[in-house]
Amino acid sequence: MEKLTFYALSAPEKLDRIGAYLSERLIRDVSRHRYGYVCIAMEALDQLLMACHCQSINLFVESFLKMVAKLLESEKPNLQILGTNSFVKFANIEEDTPSYHRSYDFFVSRFSEMCHSSHDDPEIRTKIRMSGIKGLQGVVRKTVNDELQANIWDPQHMDKIVPSLLFNLQHAEEAESRSPSPLQATEKEKESPAELAERCLRELLGRAAYGNIKNAIKPVLIHLDNHSLWEPKIFAVRCFKIIMYSIQPQHSHLVIQQLLGHLDANSKSAATVRAGIVEVLSEAAVIAASGSVGPTVLEVFNTLLRQLRLSIDYELTGSYDCAISIGTKIIKEHEERMFQEAVIKTIGTFASTLPTYQRSEVMLFIMSKVPLPSLHHALDTGKAGGWGERTDDGHTACTPGTKGGCAWLLLNSERQNLACTMPWRETGIVGCNKPVSATKGAASVWRGENRNRLTQIMLLKSLLQVSIGFQCTNMLTALPSSFLDRLLSPALMEDPEIRLFVLEILISFIDRQGNRHKFSTVSTISDISVLKLKVDKCSRQDTVFMKKHAQQLYRHIYLTCKEEGNLQSHYEALYSMLALISIELANEEVVVDLIRLVLAVQEVAQINEDNLPVYNRCALYALCAAYLNLISQLTTVPAFCQHIHEVIDMRQKEAMYLLPEDIFVERPRLTRSLDRLGPEVLFRQSKISEVLGGSGYNSDRLSTPYIPQLTDEDRLSKRKSIGETISLQVEVESRNSPEKEERAPAEEITYETLKKAIDSVAVEEQERERRRQVVEKFQKAPFEEIAAHCGARATLLQSKLNQIFEITIRPPPSPSGTITAAYGQPQNHSIPVYEMKFPDLCVY
């Protein structure tokens, strides 16, 4: 062997003849089963290959590869292993000159086949599989960095290499599940095909360039589909963790895109399969967040929200093709619900990895998808039927009108959804393009209403997941007007679950110090220092935010308190929101407004114009007590605290049903004597105004009852009548408007003003009586009288506007004097533009 090696190095042009001779001998010995000579020939080839790196080695390599292929074709496991080991040695050699005509197609196919070996002897089967994995690793190393070699990233090769490695990883998962403990594994068992396959897969993916990621990931997805590996999802998650940690970080978003596309492709698969893909996407997105995922942020959320809407359709129709009658597959509702929860969890997980500015964009994006009724439709109260709003997927979603109407009608299998402008009755649906039976129409109405409701709930759930842990120092940035307006719109809906989600989302935004959990239970705690609240000074940005949006927030809190369908969770959320506003966003003016708001809520429970149940009224009393107890200790005004504690003590003695400790429990204690409550168990606005006014607070503002700034949007609440809305809007324009109070000049203090301040209780009664008369007038007066009243106001406003326009439009007097017209009125003398003389420099 030494002489042969010396001869080959001295005369490299003889290498091809040496290789051809050894190849001929080996092929003859294999066919004659003379395996000893086969081993000698392979060892001689290996030593010559390792020693000779001359330029003419290419021809010798051809003979070598022919001999290796002959060994791999043999049925003897030892010969296959011998050929693989020789190929691995060759793969580790860096050749000086490239080869233009060498092909490795046979080796990829054969090594992949060895990876799937099913030999009867487990030990031999393991050795063959490991040899196959080593051979694939050698092929990758030999070809991946050489542009002139066969392209290993072609689908024809990837479709063989990747599944072979995954097969061995999958086999290891099954073996591990049967083994009692990984600590009991011996040193021999540690080097397993699974570990070798994982190393090879990591090496393969680590060498993948930007354009090759797709070809490497697609076989993984197909393998998981073919072997039904999405449903347990453990192996799928492990595979994609290996992928995400192996590829270059800047390519992470390509994997996310592949998963999103696969989720869309499986949109009609079983819910468990889709849930598995979503779980994998969640794990991959967290890892990809450290790399470059910017271009796919909105694409991720758009795809997930689209799948959420499809899942809702499947759940309601019971079919993957959205047909009304029958479906090809049986859809299980609980599986669809599990899938929806998985999507929402993934949305939250992915959003938590994004920077603040991207999370804000994502929240705006999700909020834009929530189906909400349009304001201009709600104003059209003269129509008896419902109205429609075009949604993203082309549906026309309707909301019932004042006399009943359709939600939206699923008229045929093509999903042509038409807005019905007339109410549907027992005989059928009137006003649609096609006649539909009453039964079918009612089913369509039910589906449409449920679809809208479920979509709203799921999207708000997603928004809540995104908002959890959201930290933003500037509330104006976190809650812009466009977002806040859309978010507060569902707060007026009758669905209690939707209202609760809106409150929870607002709480997540406002809670920046992590105080939310300290207000999870409503209580009148005697010393709030045990809560260890984190209170920060209200920043300038927060002050600006409250000046801009405070009245809007107060208004929705007030209206939410008046909802009949509120549960204990709603009152707990309202208490948390009031408390967090007091801690995070409160200055002196905000504190005064919050106290006025809570006293107005107490008045709602006391007067009970909305005919609320006893539990709701007691809950409002308890909510007011808990909040005033908190704010009195935060303001640290002794007289204020004393008054609040006196009322709470009196309630503990005579009316425990007005305190949160007796109401917000599993079995609340209620009473029917709420209409005969004495003044000693109520918080008095005059007393609070007096004690806080002496400490520097705005006593005039405190003594003025809170009146919400109701807008046209409140007509969406079916419980409101147009008379109530107009009357309350008239009240906004009255002298009690907070904005007009702030702009009004300071009044001169006289005997009369002092007397009015002392008799503030009588003033409150008069104000309440005046408001009641206004409401009664708009509810019971004839339409002609109301129209005449409003028309007079409109005429007066128009005359004022005409005066302003006349002053504004009248042109200024001409410098050259005026010319008197025929009727004695001054008329301006104007020179036409084409006769004016301009300096030369001004002419272009």
Side-chain angles (χ1 to χ4, degrees):
M1 196 65 225
E2 290 178 0
K3 291 181 180 179
L4 181 61
T5 304
F6 177 77
Y7 177 72
L9 290 173
S10 302
E13 67 276 3
K14 302 292 184 181
L15 259 177
D16 56 334
R17 292 183 63 188
I18 296 173
Y21 172 74
L22 289 174
S23 175
E24 182 184 349
R25 286 291 304 267
L26 182 135
I27 292 171
R28 185 176 61 196
D29 292 336
V30 168
S31 60
R32 294 178 180 179
H33 306 288
R34 301 169 65 180
Y35 301 123
Y37 290 105
V38 171
C39 295
I40 292 173
M42 285 307 301
E43 185 177 352
L45 280 170
D46 290 343
Q47 291 192 27
L48 287 174
L49 203 59
M50 300 296 289
C52 304
H53 288 172
C54 58
Q55 292 183 356
S56 58
I57 198 174
N58 276 330
L59 295 176
F60 176 73
V61 168
E62 292 300 321
S63 300
F64 170 78
L65 292 178
K66 183 192 289 188
M67 294 172 65
V68 171
K70 185 67 177 178
L71 294 178
L72 293 177
E73 287 175 347
S74 171
E75 295 181 357
K76 298 288 183 181
N78 291 335
L79 293 184
Q80 296 174 12
I81 295 170
L82 178 65
T84 302
N85 293 337
S86 295
F87 183 83
V88 171
K89 292 177 184 177
F90 161 70
N92 292 326
I93 297 175
E94 294 184 6
E95 299 183 51
D96 297 334
T97 55
S99 173
Y100 299 95
H101 56 279
R102 199 177 298 164
S103 173
Y104 295 96
D105 294 1
F106 168 79
F107 296 100
V108 171
S109 300
R110 184 58 185 149
F111 288 138
S112 299
E113 186 180 344
M114 290 170 65
C115 288
H116 291 83
S117 172
S118 57
H119 198 279
D120 296 334
D121 189 341
E123 187 173 350
I124 294 176
R125 181 171 66 240
T126 301
K127 288 182 179 179
I128 294 176
R129 288 184 178 180
M130 290 187 66
S131 294
I133 297 169
K134 289 178 181 178
L136 290 178
Q137 192 175 27
V139 173
V140 171
R141 288 178 179 175
K142 197 65 181 173
T143 59
V144 76
N145 291 325
D146 192 350
E147 296 179 357
L148 297 174
Q149 299 282 6
N151 190 0
I152 200 66
W153 299 107
D154 286 344
Q156 58 180 349
H157 299 313
M158 285 289 107
D159 291 345
K160 297 174 184 176
I161 295 174
V162 174
S164 301
L165 301 177
L166 294 179
F167 173 78
N168 285 276
L169 279 173
Q170 176 188 347
H171 181 75
E173 292 281 337
E174 298 170 1
E176 286 176 8
S177 63
R178 291 194 299 267
S179 64
S181 171
L183 298 176
Q184 299 176 2
T186 62
E187 290 294 327
K188 184 178 180 181
E189 291 174 343
K190 285 183 180 179
E191 183 62 26
S192 62
E195 293 184 1
L196 192 60
E198 182 176 340
R199 281 205 307 271
C200 183
L201 184 62
R202 289 182 183 275
E203 183 178 346
L204 174 69
L205 295 168
R207 296 171 181 266
Y210 181 87
N212 303 325
I213 294 291
K214 183 178 180 180
N215 290 342
I217 302 301
K218 190 175 180 180
V220 178
L221 300 173
I222 295 174
H223 181 83
L224 296 175
D225 285 342
N226 293 339
H227 295 270
S228 302
L229 295 174
W230 292 112
E231 295 180 26
K233 76 192 174 188
I234 299 172
F235 178 72
V237 169
R238 183 188 173 194
C239 284
F240 274 89
K241 280 187 175 180
I242 292 173
I243 291 170
M244 297 305 294
Y245 283 119
S246 300
I247 62 175
Q248 300 176 38
Q250 64 268 26
H251 301 158
S252 299
H253 66 278
L254 295 175
V255 181
I256 302 296
Q257 284 180 338
Q258 288 284 99
L259 281 169
L260 291 173
H262 197 67
L263 180 60
D264 279 338
N266 284 272
S267 59
K268 292 188 179 181
S269 300
T272 51
V273 173
R274 286 178 281 133
I277 299 174
V278 169
E279 289 281 350
V280 172
L281 184 62
S282 174
E283 297 287 343
V286 173
I287 301 171
S290 58
S292 171
V293 292
T296 60
V297 170
L298 291 183
E299 183 184 349
V300 170
F301 290 100
N302 194 27
T303 301
L304 292 175
L305 295 180
R306 183 168 62 249
Q307 291 297 324
L308 205 56
R309 286 199 298 272
L310 284 174
S311 177
I312 292 170
D313 284 345
Y314 297 158
E315 181 184 346
L316 291 175
T317 60
S319 168
Y320 287 119
D321 56 2
C322 295
I324 296 178
S325 55
I326 57 172
T328 55
K329 298 180 182 178
I330 299 176
I331 293 179
K332 299 177 181 177
E333 283 191 19
H334 70 279
E335 291 182 353
E336 289 297 334
R337 290 292 173 92
M338 288 174 56
F339 169 71
Q340 292 162 15
E341 293 298 329
V343 171
I344 292 170
K345 177 188 172 187
T346 302
I347 287 174
T349 304
F350 186 76
S352 63
T353 63
L354 300 176
T356 302
Y357 74 94
Q358 279 190 334
R359 287 181 76 174
S360 299
E361 291 177 359
V362 167
M363 287 185 282
L364 286 169
F365 179 74
I366 295 176
M367 197 66 229
S368 68
K369 298 288 184 181
V370 178
L372 296 176
S374 299
L375 187 58
H376 65 275
H377 288 296
L379 294 177
D380 192 9
T381 54
K383 290 186 179 180
W387 43 266
E389 179 190 48
R390 181 70 60 179
T391 54
D392 293 336
D393 51 359
H395 302 165
T396 306
C398 306
T399 298
T402 54
K403 298 182 181 178
C406 66
W408 59 275
L409 307 178
L410 191 57
L411 295 178
N412 51 34
S413 59
E414 297 177 2
R415 303 177 70 181
Q416 296 174 353
N417 305 310
L418 305 175
C420 180
T421 57
M422 295 292 289
W424 57 274
R425 297 179 174 85
E426 296 178 358
T427 56
I429 298 176
V430 184
C432 294
N433 287 357
K434 297 183 181 180
V436 188
S437 65
T439 305
K440 188 176 180 181
S444 299
V445 169
W446 177 82
R447 265 191 293 273
E449 289 178 347
N450 268 2
R451 180 177 286 103
N452 269 345
R453 178 183 175 275
L454 287 175
T455 304
Q456 289 163 352
I457 288 175
M458 291 303 168
L459 291 177
L460 289 173
K461 263 188 181 181
S462 306
L463 191 59
L464 179 60
Q465 286 290 326
V466 177
S467 64
I468 291 175
F470 179 69
Q471 297 290 334
C472 186
T473 55
N474 190 348
M475 290 296 292
L476 283 170
T477 305
L479 289 172
S481 299
S482 57
F483 178 77
L484 190 61
D485 292 342
R486 285 190 64 88
L487 178 61
L488 290 177
S489 293
L492 303 179
M493 291 185 178
E494 290 187 345
D495 194 304
E497 191 173 1
I498 291 177
R499 294 200 309 271
L500 183 60
F501 278 126
V502 174
L503 289 173
E504 293 289 347
I505 291 167
L506 286 171
I507 288 169
S508 297
F509 278 109
I510 297 172
D511 181 26
R512 294 170 293 179
Q513 304 292 331
N515 292 313
R516 167 70 174 93
H517 65 282
K518 300 172 185 177
F519 302 113
S520 56
T521 56
V522 188
S523 63
T524 53
I525 185 170
S526 57
D527 184 10
I528 63 169
S529 61
V530 297
L531 297 177
K532 297 181 181 178
L533 299 173
K534 297 178 183 178
V535 183
D536 202 0
K537 186 178 179 181
C538 183
S539 64
R540 181 177 174 275
Q541 292 92 340
D542 293 343
T543 304
V544 174
F545 172 79
M546 291 305 289
K547 280 186 177 294
K548 187 175 182 181
H549 298 295
Q551 296 302 323
Q552 195 177 8
L553 290 173
Y554 301 155
R555 166 176 164 270
H556 280 79
I557 292 173
Y558 178 81
L559 293 176
T560 304
C561 289
K562 297 175 70 173
E563 292 290 343
E564 186 178 341
N566 286 344
L567 304 174
Q568 178 179 338
S569 54
H570 291 83
Y571 296 111
E572 289 173 349
L574 285 166
Y575 173 68
S576 298
M577 188 168 176
L578 288 168
L580 290 170
I581 291 176
S582 306
I583 291 173
E584 296 277 356
L585 306 171
N587 51 23
E588 184 178 316
E589 182 181 346
V590 172
V591 169
V592 169
D593 284 340
L594 287 172
I595 293 173
R596 291 173 60 225
L597 171 63
V598 171
L599 291 174
V601 171
Q602 179 184 259
E603 188 177 345
V604 168
Q606 184 181 357
I607 300 176
N608 197 23
E609 291 178 349
D610 297 293
N611 296 321
L612 294 175
V614 175
Y615 173 78
N616 294 58
R617 295 177 67 186
C618 291
L620 291 180
Y621 280 121
L623 173 66
C624 297
Y627 176 71
L628 289 174
N629 173 67
L630 174 70
I631 197 66
S632 64
Q633 297 184 57
L634 288 174
T635 54
T636 64
V637 177
F640 185 28
C641 294
Q642 183 181 356
H643 172 64
I644 301 300
H645 288 154
E646 285 176 358
V647 175
I648 292 175
D649 292 341
M650 189 61 66
R651 288 186 179 184
Q652 288 175 345
K653 294 176 184 177
E654 299 182 2
M656 284 291 292
Y657 49 84
L658 302 183
L659 292 175
E661 286 77 9
D662 270 35
I663 291 297
F664 301 127
V665 290
E666 187 175 351
R667 294 182 179 178
R669 303 177 188 176
L670 301 177
T671 183
R672 295 183 179 179
S673 59
L674 287 177
D675 295 329
R676 297 190 297 272
L677 295 175
E680 66 276 359
V681 295
L682 299 177
F683 302 101
R684 298 195 302 277
Q685 189 155 3
S686 57
K687 180 66 175 178
I688 294 175
S689 175
E690 178 186 341
V691 296
L692 287 180
S695 300
Y697 288 87
N698 189 342
S699 58
D700 291 339
R701 193 174 181 85
L702 275 168
S703 60
T704 306
Y706 170 75
I707 299 173
Q709 294 184 354
L710 300 185
T711 64
D712 294 331
E713 184 183 5
D714 296 312
R715 301 183 198 179
L716 303 181
S717 179
K718 299 172 189 175
R719 199 184 63 254
K720 300 278 186 298
S721 70
I722 185 171
E724 290 174 328
T725 306
I726 295 176
S727 65
L728 289 171
Q729 285 175 337
V730 170
E731 288 298 306
V732 172
E733 297 171 1
S734 69
R735 57 183 174 82
N736 292 323
S737 176
E739 285 75 8
K740 293 192 177 183
E741 282 181 18
E742 293 174 359
R743 298 195 200 102
E747 291 182 345
E748 182 182 356
I749 299 176
T750 62
Y751 171 75
E752 290 296 330
T753 56
L754 291 174
K755 185 179 179 180
K756 287 181 181 179
I758 295 171
D759 298 337
S760 58
V761 178
V763 172
E764 288 181 23
E765 290 295 332
Q766 294 174 4
E767 188 67 30
R768 193 177 296 118
E769 182 62 27
R770 193 176 72 84
R771 292 203 333 247
R772 190 177 294 111
Q773 290 175 0
V774 173
V775 172
E776 186 176 354
K777 175 184 176 182
F778 276 94
Q779 285 180 335
K780 298 181 179 179
F783 176 76
E784 291 77 9
E785 184 180 340
I786 296 175
H789 175 70
C790 294
R793 293 175 59 87
T795 305
L796 179 62
L797 177 62
Q798 187 62 41
S799 64
K800 295 289 185 184
L801 288 174
N802 290 338
Q803 292 178 12
I804 295 172
F805 290 151
E806 186 179 352
I807 296 171
T808 307
I809 299 173
R810 182 183 299 163
S814 175
S816 59
T818 58
I819 302 173
T820 304
Y823 297 97
Q825 296 177 347
Q827 179 180 354
N828 289 324
H829 178 69
S830 58
I831 303 173
V833 176
Y834 56 84
E835 293 183 4
M836 290 183 182
K837 299 297 183 182
F838 292 94
D840 294 339
L841 293 177
C842 293
V843 179
Y844 178 70

